[in-house]
Amino acid sequence: MQQSAKIERQPGFLPRSDFQKLLDGIVQSGYQLLGPVVKDGAIQLMQISDVTQLAKGLTNEQQPGHYRLQQTAGERLFDWNHGPQGLKPLCFAPHEVLWVEQKDPLSFTTRLPDVKPTAVLGVRGCDLSALAIQDRHFLHAAGADPHYRQRRERLLLIGIDCAHSAESCFCASTGDGPSVNQAVDIGLSELDDGFLVWSGSDQGEAVLQRLDLATAQTQQLEQMEGQTEQAAREQQRQLPKPEELIRLYQRLEHAHWQQVADRCLGCGNCTAVCPTCFCYDTQHEVSLDGLSAQNVRQWDSCFSASHSSMGAFKVRGNILSRYRQWLTHKLAGWQEQQGRIGCTGCGRCITWCPVGIDLTKEADAILWEGSLDE
Amino acid sequence: MSDLHLPRTAIIDERIQESPTIFTLRLRFEDATAQEVFEFSPGQFNMVTHFAAGEIPISIVNDPKDSHYFDHTIRVVGRVSEAMSKLQPGDRVGIRGPFGRGWPVVDASGRDVLLVTGGLGCAPLVSVIHYMMKRRNQFGHLHILQGVKHSNDLIWREQYDAWAREPDVNVLLAADVVTREWHGQQGMVTELIGQLNLRHGRTIAMLCGPEVMMLAAIANLRDLGIADHQIWFSMERNMQCGIGQCGHCQIGAKYVCRDGPVFCYSELADLMGAKGF
């Protein structure tokens, strides 16, 4: 799906030396603030309060099976693209108790998470689109998920344009970036000497009221646009169009699936880092005294052997059928389920795949190469 | 907002042993209001929770007009159903549901209906046969075909005999392996389809059983001129949430738990039979 018309920005300018005031304004408005910091050699969202905790001067190399942060002499705080996780763990918890049961007499009680209002600094367009996809999945009218909703309603989102693309990025071809065109509470675009800042909600506006923003100059607005256009031009990968991808279902017997299966380890890294993958498994965990139990939900992966289990029988008994399930669902099935593909071009599945499988190349090969059943 | 993940407690009023491995639990919600408002259609299912053992999808087999209770017929196939087999009247289970789309009983009204079951554990189809027997004047001729692996496996034999005595009802049984007392045929249930004189344009087919059996039945039905949109079947997949959320049961873009488990062949024709899909 192509993005709808660009959301109107009316930014003000915040000098780099005043960026701490934005963080203070967020915290003083009652939010715990999560920001991008370097942890274990990667960008991760952690609780912060001070601008010095941010990933200053860092860029990232992201290629198939490769992620490295590089220190530069630059002053910019957001010159990297992203780390292994987007917003998914913040709303769809990797591991959480849904309900508890008592044995005698049998009773069931919902266990809702206790969540503080949480602001997330530096969210990219690809991850904002992914959140909208997860919202549709978990909050659709028939099956609105109270656990997801509890977390989602307490999020304040501070988006930021990408001024560069990593090698594995392809958000321009899915229409989800590199600029932030989605709904955010606060939007940012980083320039050399500071930030263009705009609000997208009453909550965001309330935070910005605490700052003394200067009027943005035409030259600054041009630089903002020029940077994201440059970031889009840097992208080397692209996905075929949605109407082409839907044809993957006609190519279930293509010889290339086996070619991917021969490389794929079935590890599930791609589904763990994918910001839209939503499969989960529930388990009963019984207390030691045997009198109570809790129903725990945790992320599952269509690459796990148990994902398709019916008793001893597995519908998808090999890696070929599991990779095929993942790719056809992500790129074709999702179109019928949600009206758009389930991929927002973040490229994480390429970066974090231990053998560097690249879904854009695999989709191309299956759609355009060879015969259907050679 | 109601939490669709949260079970409600139901009490076992009665337990019937149908065969050495198959039993029926007659249940009612502990909360009388919950029982009053509980509505379902044949082919829909509940998620049934046994304390500590876990939760499994089970078809609802009684008539939707029975407002004071609901029945689950369960075959012992794994850890959870094994634990459930030990439950007795007065014990409690957790229930979420009803979930999914049941049989097209409205579309079938006024038509001949062919009901084909392969193997045991096809409670979904038994529920719709009961439904039609109770509303006999709403449906045309009924062909009931039941296949089992071994003739000794057949349960509810008196039920089949009773159905066969009804006017305009044709019951045919088949077993791969037969004993001397067997009155049905030897062979596969799908072979019986060719023996029928189906009035196409008037006949709607409902199938339940292993996918290979249903695929063979579908091929036979199409050969006989039954249109794809008149062929319906109940699919089985790993169903955990019941609400199209956990992702396990997907076939293409369909969630078996929410969009099915009963599907029309024209909805899945392109994906049925793709191995591992």
Side-chain angles (χ1 to χ4, degrees):
Chain A
M1 187 179 68
Q2 292 306 304
Q3 257 175 323
S4 50
K6 215 169 186 181
I7 287 179
E8 203 56 46
R9 298 178 174 183
Q10 291 179 323
F13 179 71
L14 183 69
R16 183 167 298 283
S17 54
D18 284 352
F19 195 64
Q20 179 64 41
K21 290 181 183 170
L22 173 63
L23 308 194
D24 293 343
I26 292 166
V27 173
Q28 285 157 13
S29 299
Y31 296 93
Q32 71 162 345
L33 177 60
L34 301 184
V37 304
V38 178
K39 184 166 181 282
D40 300 332
I43 297 289
Q44 299 194 44
L45 289 172
M46 305 296 287
Q47 191 164 352
I48 59 157
S49 58
D50 197 281
V51 69
T52 58
Q53 294 170 279
L54 296 172
K56 188 168 95 172
L58 288 175
T59 59
N60 56 198
E61 281 178 14
Q62 296 201 45
Q63 297 155 15
H66 179 93
Y67 182 98
R68 294 287 185 282
L69 292 174
Q70 306 275 357
Q71 188 68 54
T72 70
E75 289 290 306
R76 290 199 180 208
L77 301 174
F78 299 93
D79 248 4
W80 42 272
N81 296 96
H82 47 49
Q85 287 296 337
L87 296 168
K88 182 166 80 169
L90 299 180
C91 297
F92 172 36
H95 184 273
E96 73 177 320
V97 178
L98 294 183
W99 43 262
V100 292
E101 60 181 332
Q102 299 297 325
K103 186 178 187 183
D104 202 17
L106 187 64
S107 67
F108 302 91
T109 313
T110 298
R111 175 77 65 78
L112 282 176
D114 184 18
V115 190
K116 290 181 195 153
T118 301
V120 189
L121 176 66
V123 186
R124 306 297 181 170
C126 53
D127 287 337
L128 290 162
S129 283
L131 183 68
I133 289 174
Q134 288 237 314
D135 283 353
R136 281 194 291 274
H137 183 72
F138 284 104
L139 299 177
H140 67 79
D145 187 286
H147 301 80
Y148 183 96
R149 171 161 292 182
Q150 188 95 341
R151 293 188 171 85
R152 177 69 181 88
E153 284 177 344
R154 285 160 180 73
L155 277 191
L156 185 89
L157 299 168
I158 301 128
I160 187 157
D161 289 339
C162 284
H164 297 287
S165 292
E167 193 193 309
S168 49
C169 293
F170 54 97
C171 62
S173 75
T174 64
D176 299 301
S179 62
V180 167
N181 289 338
Q182 300 85 347
V184 285
D185 295 293
I186 296 171
L188 298 172
S189 203
E190 186 171 24
L191 309 177
D192 284 337
D193 52 351
F195 294 84
L196 292 174
V197 187
W198 64 97
S199 73
S201 71
D202 292 345
Q203 292 89 333
E205 183 59 31
V207 172
L208 295 194
Q209 290 287 330
R210 295 166 178 269
L211 307 175
D212 189 18
L213 294 177
T215 309
Q217 307 298 311
T218 309
Q219 187 194 347
Q220 291 172 322
L221 297 172
E222 283 170 2
Q223 194 187 352
M224 171 178 79
E225 291 215 356
Q227 286 183 165
T228 53
E229 283 165 11
Q230 171 64 23
R233 277 195 300 273
E234 286 168 12
Q235 295 188 7
Q236 304 158 28
R237 289 176 164 75
Q238 57 177 21
L239 267 185
K241 294 184 171 63
E243 60 270 27
E244 293 163 349
L245 290 167
I246 204 89
R247 281 190 237 131
L248 286 170
Y249 277 134
Q250 293 158 21
R251 302 195 148 231
L252 299 179
E253 307 302 330
H254 195 287
H256 192 76
W257 294 112
Q258 185 58 53
Q259 215 268 339
V260 189
D262 289 344
R263 287 174 283 144
C264 175
L265 307 176
C267 70
N269 265 19
C270 49
T271 60
V273 298
C274 177
T276 68
C277 272
F278 55 72
C279 284
Y280 66 80
D281 185 56
T282 51
Q283 299 283 345
H284 275 45
E285 291 179 357
V286 188
S287 64
L288 284 176
D289 62 11
L291 298 176
S292 64
Q294 50 189 21
N295 187 251
V296 177
R297 161 161 83 186
Q298 56 195 8
W299 290 359
D300 199 358
S301 169
C302 54
F303 286 88
S304 75
S306 62
H307 190 275
S308 65
S309 286
M310 297 192 293
F313 175 70
K314 291 171 180 58
V315 176
R316 294 180 285 279
N318 56 26
I319 288 182
L320 184 156
S321 57
R322 291 174 204 155
Y323 188 86
R324 190 177 63 176
Q325 171 68 18
W326 181 69
L327 199 75
T328 53
H329 179 228
K330 186 73 60 191
L331 301 180
W334 230 297
Q335 295 190 48
E336 187 181 323
Q337 292 171 343
Q338 287 216 358
R340 64 155 294 164
I341 60 169
C343 173
T344 64
C346 75
R348 287 187 179 91
C349 59
I350 303 171
T351 298
W352 297 95
C353 174
V355 295
I357 292 172
D358 176 346
L359 88 166
T360 64
K361 290 199 165 56
E362 311 311 339
D364 270 347
I366 290 158
L367 285 175
W368 313 121
E369 283 176 15
S371 72
L372 296 181
D373 53 4
E374 66 190 28
Chain B
M1 176 173 38
S2 71
D3 183 355
L4 295 172
H5 301 298
L6 187 71
R8 295 174 290 174
T9 51
I11 299 174
I12 299 169
D13 278 339
E14 212 180 321
R15 183 192 185 284
I16 303 151
Q17 192 72 41
E18 309 280 4
S19 85
T21 59
I22 298 174
F23 60 98
T24 297
L25 299 178
R26 175 156 294 182
L27 298 153
R28 78 186 140 81
F29 285 108
E30 199 164 6
D31 172 8
T33 314
Q35 181 60 50
E36 262 171 47
V37 301
F38 185 68
E39 284 184 358
F40 62 91
S41 56
Q44 283 194 296
F45 67 96
N46 282 327
M47 295 300 302
V48 184
T49 294
H50 180 287
F51 174 79
E55 193 178 39
I56 49 175
I58 305 282
S59 187
I60 311 167
V61 292
N62 62 304
D63 195 273
K65 286 276 186 235
D66 302 333
S67 57
H68 301 298
Y69 61 88
F70 55 96
D71 290 346
H72 285 302
T73 296
I74 303 168
R75 185 155 63 114
V76 176
V77 289
R79 194 172 50 83
V80 183
S81 51
E82 167 81 34
M84 284 178 184
S85 73
K86 300 190 170 72
L87 293 170
Q88 295 300 325
D91 289 342
R92 289 169 170 81
V93 294
I95 298 287
R96 297 191 295 124
F99 293 129
R101 178 177 67 172
W103 297 103
V105 287
V106 176
D107 286 4
S109 151
R111 293 176 177 277
D112 294 351
V113 188
L114 167 62
L115 303 126
V116 185
T117 305
L120 298 171
C122 274
L125 205 59
V126 173
S127 69
V128 80
I129 298 173
H130 281 300
Y131 180 93
M132 290 177 178
M133 284 297 170
K134 280 205 176 155
R135 295 158 183 80
R136 199 58 201 87
N137 59 351
Q138 290 179 24
F139 303 95
H141 195 91
L142 300 187
H143 303 275
I144 300 172
L145 274 51
Q146 165 76 54
V148 287
K149 197 169 282 176
H150 193 287
S151 60
N152 286 346
D153 293 343
L154 186 69
I155 63 166
W156 297 320
R157 182 171 303 225
E158 300 77 21
Q159 187 71 78
Y160 288 96
D161 292 344
W163 288 336
R165 288 192 293 272
E166 296 285 326
D168 283 331
V169 178
N170 178 25
V171 176
L172 293 175
L173 306 175
D176 292 349
V177 184
V178 301
T179 55
R180 259 183 307 168
E181 314 77 87
W182 182 246
H183 298 302
Q185 306 205 18
Q186 183 169 9
M188 292 198 289
V189 66
T190 49
E191 293 163 10
L192 300 173
I193 293 173
Q195 302 173 17
L196 302 172
N197 186 18
L198 298 177
R199 299 185 284 185
H200 39 83
R202 277 211 58 171
T203 304
I204 186 167
M206 302 186 187
L207 321 171
C208 186
E211 268 174 69
V212 279
M213 166 258 152
M214 296 200 293
L215 281 167
I218 289 166
N220 290 352
L221 290 167
R222 297 180 87 211
D223 285 347
L224 291 174
I226 307 292
D228 290 354
H229 68 277
Q230 300 293 7
I231 302 173
W232 295 76
F233 48 86
S234 185
M235 286 297 282
E236 200 181 340
R237 281 294 182 273
N238 177 10
M239 299 194 289
Q240 294 190 11
C241 71
I243 54 178
Q245 200 181 67
C246 76
H248 297 97
C249 69
Q250 293 176 90
I251 301 176
K254 306 283 189 227
Y255 292 94
V256 173
C257 74
R258 187 189 70 195
D259 304 322
V262 174
F263 287 100
C264 180
Y265 181 60
S266 49
E267 294 172 311
L268 286 183
D270 296 341
L271 300 176
M272 287 275 289
K275 195 170 164 352
F277 209 75

